Amino acid sequence: QVQLVESGGGLVQPGGSLRLSCAASGSIRSINYMAWHRQAPGKQRDLVAGINSAGSTNYADSVKGRFTVSRDNAKNTAYLQMNSLKPEDTAVYYCSATLIPVGGQWSNYWGQGTQVTVSS
């Protein structure tokens, strides 16, 4: 059974940094696109950043220049380095992955989310 597990969230002061990790586990044949999303209370879930298997990345305008997405294909893990954090970055951050499990079909999987709170 495929699972995505996020880690690295927490409380940080404005201007600080956090690094999130998303590890995909299980019988995975291949992972294409991995992405980070966030959802603040009362708001919709939005894409923050994504990266494909070749390393091409995309970012929401609100995080360009502050956040960096990366991945380690050998570890089936994606990362989100978040710098210069602002209170408006406060949200639950979710990881997603478009992958094909062994014996399965291409599907999108989601992690359980990790809370990021930016506050003084």
Side-chain angles (χ1 to χ4, degrees):
Q1 184 174 352
V2 174
Q3 282 188 317
L4 299 183
V5 178
E6 300 104 334
S7 61
L11 173 64
V12 63
Q13 292 185 342
S17 299
L18 280 176
R19 188 191 194 212
L20 305 182
S21 298
C22 170
S25 63
S27 298
I28 298 170
R29 181 176 164 189
S30 181
I31 301 177
N32 183 7
Y33 186 70
M34 298 186 78
W36 291 94
H37 313 255
R38 67 187 181 188
Q39 187 168 21
K43 295 189 177 182
Q44 66 181 20
R45 188 177 299 186
D46 292 324
L47 176 69
V48 174
I51 183 168
N52 66 16
S53 56
S56 295
T57 59
N58 60 289
Y59 296 92
D61 288 343
S62 59
V63 306
K64 283 181 181 177
R66 299 188 298 123
F67 291 10
T68 302
V69 62
S70 61
R71 65 191 277 178
D72 184 333
N73 290 330
K75 295 181 178 180
N76 287 339
T77 299
Y79 305 96
L80 185 67
Q81 178 66 43
M82 304 185 293
N83 299 329
S84 301
L85 282 161
K86 305 174 181 180
E88 51 263 44
D89 294 317
T90 296
V92 177
Y93 283 70
Y94 297 90
C95 173
S96 71
T98 303
L99 61 86
I100 181 169
V102 174
Q105 297 180 338
W106 285 103
S107 299
N108 202 47
Y109 291 79
W110 289 86
Q112 81 288 351
T114 185
Q115 177 70 46
V116 172
T117 302
V118 184
S119 175
S120 55

